[in-house]
Amino acid sequence: MELCKGRPQNNNDRTDKEIRVYDLLDSLNIEYYRIDHAPANTMEVCKEIDEVLGAKICKNLFLCNRQKTKFYMLMMPDDKPFKTKELTSQINCSRLSFAGEEFMQEFLDTTPGSVSVMGLMNDSNNNVKLLVDEDVLKDEYVGCHPCINTSSLKIKTEDVFEVFLKAVHHDMTVVRLEGAE
């Protein structure tokens, strides 16, 4: 794995959704670094990527309410456990579960293992509400996928949450999740 600045030199073997991420970041003048790698299907694989990237890849959970009428993307540190009860009380939702793959595709144009904040660029109707654990905001950089889990990006936290989110017309709700007990 090699850390490269900016987009790939060519678009061979790149998906349209990945190229759209680079196009948007470039149009916003957001500096980013990229690593190409084998599919990152687990957080253990992401930890290896983190070392080369120099940033932690967030755990991104795609969630919905029981009625499947409200959808959420939760960005949290990979070392924190997810406790549904802890989150539901903060967002006034009685019950959360993992949203189906069909909603992930429809709203974010992404698939399991590739969910990231970058997918919000595809959510023009604001169907997905972004929830961010407060600890994610403390790091200088955020690690995320460009809507595909064979590449990872390193972007300044302030660029993601101030410039990118504004450009894709999304807000965030900061939540506080407890660490391991």
Side-chain angles (χ1 to χ4, degrees):
M1 290 185 286
E2 181 182 343
L3 186 63
C4 303
K5 186 174 182 179
R7 69 185 312 126
Q9 292 297 319
N10 64 58
N11 294 338
N12 297 345
D13 301 320
R14 304 288 175 166
T15 64
D16 289 341
K17 59 186 166 187
E18 180 182 3
I19 298 304
R20 286 194 315 266
V21 171
Y22 303 136
D23 289 346
L24 179 59
L25 293 175
D26 290 346
S27 75
L28 296 172
N29 294 312
I30 293 177
E31 182 178 79
Y32 58 98
Y33 295 86
R34 175 187 46 80
I35 292 177
D36 296 324
H37 47 75
N41 294 322
T42 65
M43 288 312 297
E44 289 73 31
V45 173
C46 288
K47 285 182 184 193
E48 294 174 28
I49 297 165
D50 289 352
E51 290 180 27
V52 178
L53 199 60
K56 291 182 181 179
I57 295 177
C58 293
K59 188 186 315 183
N60 296 284
L61 304 179
F62 187 55
L63 308 164
C64 66
N65 64 353
R66 181 186 306 210
Q67 299 80 12
K68 297 181 181 169
T69 56
K70 293 184 180 180
F71 296 87
Y72 306 91
M73 179 189 303
L74 171 62
M75 292 179 70
M76 60 186 289
D78 67 339
D79 59 352
K80 278 192 177 183
F82 172 60
K83 298 176 183 172
T84 311
K85 184 178 180 181
E86 192 174 61
L87 182 60
T88 55
S89 64
Q90 293 180 62
I91 62 171
N92 297 319
C93 181
S94 62
R95 183 174 165 192
L96 286 175
S97 61
F98 290 99
E101 197 172 327
E102 66 277 11
F103 295 110
M104 193 180 297
Q105 183 66 48
E106 178 183 349
F107 300 144
L108 304 174
D109 191 21
T110 193
T111 55
S114 300
V115 173
S116 89
V117 67
M118 295 293 121
L120 294 176
M121 68 182 280
N122 301 310
D123 182 29
S124 57
N125 292 326
N126 286 71
N127 292 299
V128 180
K129 184 169 179 73
L130 180 62
L131 308 173
V132 182
D133 180 79
E134 64 186 5
D135 288 342
V136 170
L137 302 172
K138 294 176 183 174
D139 290 330
E140 182 179 3
Y141 291 96
V142 170
C144 62
H145 296 306
C147 296
I148 191 82
N149 69 354
T150 54
S151 292
S152 295
L153 304 177
K154 173 183 174 179
I155 307 172
K156 284 195 172 188
T157 303
E158 64 188 66
D159 286 341
V160 171
F161 296 109
E162 294 173 21
V163 180
F164 174 80
L165 283 184
K166 181 184 267 187
V168 299
H169 309 288
H170 275 75
D171 295 320
M172 69 171 169
T173 298
V174 179
V175 296
R176 184 172 191 269
L177 303 173
E178 295 297 324
E181 293 176 8

